[in-house]
Amino acid sequence: MSASQPVDTGLTGSATFLVFSVTRTDSSIQAIRRVLSSIPDITKNISIRDVNANLTCVVGIGSGAWDSLMKLPYPAELHPFPEVRGAKKTAVSTPGDLLFHIRSERRDLCFELERQLIDKLGDTVRLEDQTVGFRYFDARDLLGFVDGTANPVSPSDISDAVMISESDDGSDATAVGGSYVVVQKYLHDLKAWKALSTEQQEAVIGRTKSDNIELEDADDGQQQAHKTLATIEDASGKEHAVLRDNMPFGSPSAGQYGTYFIAYTRHLWVVEKMMERMFLGHPPGLHDRILDFSTPITGSTFFAPSLSNLKALGDEE
Ligand code: HEM
């Protein structure tokens, strides 16, 4: 099995999310390939200054840049983030050729990695979005709920949820050890959210707020809880987990409150099914009420190749 990038690092105190478009000239593609291949070394070089701060960086490649950058067959499911337009809510699709998911307990280490990356990439890329996330109390989102509880925890459950393996049908061998990654940047209407009672908020999420206990699925024909809509079973009744590393971000003085959603998955269809159930509603028309207080302003899909495929980008052609 090919080693994966450090997708399973888990939630840290700080994270930086960078999404770029690439400038498509021969020389910039060559330069970007060299930078991407050196990410593990750059990360190690900075992380050594405080190994306990757990600095990691995962690189994702969008479908539009896959061919020119990777020069490998497309991972079987890789395609651009599909817009999901429901009767009332829309998951927008926005540009993104490269994703850098930088994590550390220390904000300064994330900053330093971003700084060195920007220096090296120069004008080979155009910034689409930069978001700096932080841990909020006991891993709560800015809606006040603990976020990430249902994530797989054991190494084998994580690997089963996120990593493409030799046994996956239709996947080229070069996808093995990689994961699909989906990101969305959400802005919250906290004023409207805070106008709800705690019980109403708990019904929207499907968990209690203070002690994070899962509520029974309601079967009253009304809009279902977020945790119910985001639970996906296949035709055989098997539940498919994904690995979410959402982070709060924002600026109270600018009136900006957000959640940066990021999910790693072995099967892209699982996250896309979650999006459909949330935005179109299940049954259709009854969208996820979290969306009445949360609006996505970005939406992009990437593939995080295995470590060996990433490092091989530095090999001379
Ligand atoms: C569960 C927050 C968007 C997928 C949860 C929970 C919270 C939460 C508080 C319950 C605790 C937990 O298990 O983590 C949010 C916020 C979002 C957001 C604030 C954005 C504004 C999304 C999106 C997806 C998603 C876009 C997928 C497309 C899930 C899944 C679960 C979950 C899979 C676990 C369900 C279960 O098995 O119990 N989310 N979420 N979330 N969310 Fe979200």
Side-chain angles (χ1 to χ4, degrees):
M1 166 70 82
S2 307
S4 63
Q5 295 187 65
V7 300
D8 58 352
T9 307
L11 285 178
T12 44
S14 188
T16 303
F17 304 90
L18 299 170
V19 173
F20 296 101
S21 292
V22 307
T23 320
R24 286 174 172 71
T25 62
D26 285 350
S27 63
S28 64
I29 292 294
Q30 277 314 314
I32 293 169
R33 282 168 58 93
R34 277 195 298 275
V35 176
L36 297 187
S37 74
S38 67
I39 292 293
D41 284 342
I42 301 173
T43 310
K44 177 167 175 260
N45 215 39
I46 300 170
S47 71
I48 213 77
R49 292 154 82 175
D50 181 358
V51 286
N52 296 325
N54 216 6
L55 177 72
T56 57
C57 178
V58 175
V59 179
I61 319 279
S63 66
W66 181 268
D67 212 19
S68 51
L69 283 176
M70 300 301 294
K71 304 192 193 319
L72 290 172
Y74 278 84
E77 288 186 81
L78 186 61
H79 53 235
F81 182 99
E83 179 186 275
V84 186
R85 185 178 287 274
K88 297 202 175 124
K89 304 291 168 190
T90 299
V92 292
S93 171
T94 55
D97 291 329
L98 288 176
L99 167 75
F100 296 92
H101 181 195
I102 304 172
R103 282 179 274 188
S104 173
E105 291 304 330
R106 282 176 53 168
R107 167 77 191 116
D108 57 343
L109 296 197
C110 293
F111 175 94
E112 181 62 11
L113 182 41
E114 178 183 354
R115 188 185 72 75
Q116 294 194 17
L117 195 58
I118 293 292
D119 270 1
K120 285 182 190 296
L121 287 170
D123 58 8
T124 61
V125 293
R126 191 180 59 248
L127 182 67
E128 296 291 346
D129 182 63
Q130 187 255 23
T131 301
V132 173
F134 55 88
R135 180 189 289 131
Y136 190 52
F137 298 104
D138 44 343
R140 288 179 188 260
D141 52 43
L142 296 184
L143 302 179
F145 283 76
V146 177
D147 196 348
T149 312
N151 268 341
V153 176
S154 73
S156 70
D157 285 352
I158 293 178
S159 164
D160 193 46
V162 306
M163 209 191 296
I164 313 270
S165 84
E166 277 92 356
S167 63
D168 286 337
D169 286 346
S171 274
D172 190 273
T174 50
V176 171
S179 299
Y180 297 93
V181 199
V182 179
V183 299
Q184 279 183 310
K185 181 173 182 168
Y186 281 90
L187 296 179
H188 298 302
D189 181 349
L190 274 201
K191 203 165 165 222
W193 177 249
K194 288 192 167 154
L196 300 186
S197 67
T198 300
E199 290 71 23
Q200 286 171 320
Q201 293 180 350
E202 290 175 337
V204 170
I205 301 292
R207 282 185 176 267
T208 59
K209 195 170 182 180
S210 86
D211 47 12
N212 190 29
I213 291 170
E214 189 171 352
L215 302 175
E216 289 288 320
D217 286 339
D219 196 10
D220 52 7
Q222 300 299 307
Q223 283 159 294
Q224 300 192 72
H226 173 61
K227 63 108 192 184
T228 310
L229 290 168
T231 300
I232 303 298
E233 287 182 358
D234 64 20
S236 70
K238 177 178 170 352
E239 207 173 298
H240 288 272
V242 301
L243 186 65
R244 291 166 292 127
D245 291 300
N246 298 357
M247 291 294 260
F249 68 90
S251 159
S253 52
Q256 190 196 55
Y257 300 96
T259 295
Y260 201 91
F261 167 83
I262 179 164
Y264 290 96
T265 182
R266 177 177 183 171
H267 306 289
L268 185 55
W269 68 262
V270 172
V271 174
E272 293 186 345
K273 191 93 203 148
M274 290 172 183
M275 294 288 172
E276 283 173 17
R277 285 167 61 96
M278 288 176 63
F279 285 82
L280 304 181
H282 186 78
L286 298 182
H287 64 262
D288 190 329
R289 282 166 297 168
I290 209 172
L291 302 174
D292 291 334
F293 311 93
S294 319
T295 305
I297 56 167
T298 72
S300 312
T301 298
F302 305 89
F303 188 83
S306 68
L307 204 50
S308 51
N309 282 341
L310 187 72
K311 287 183 177 169
L313 293 179
D315 298 348
E316 290 302 319
E317 284 179 30

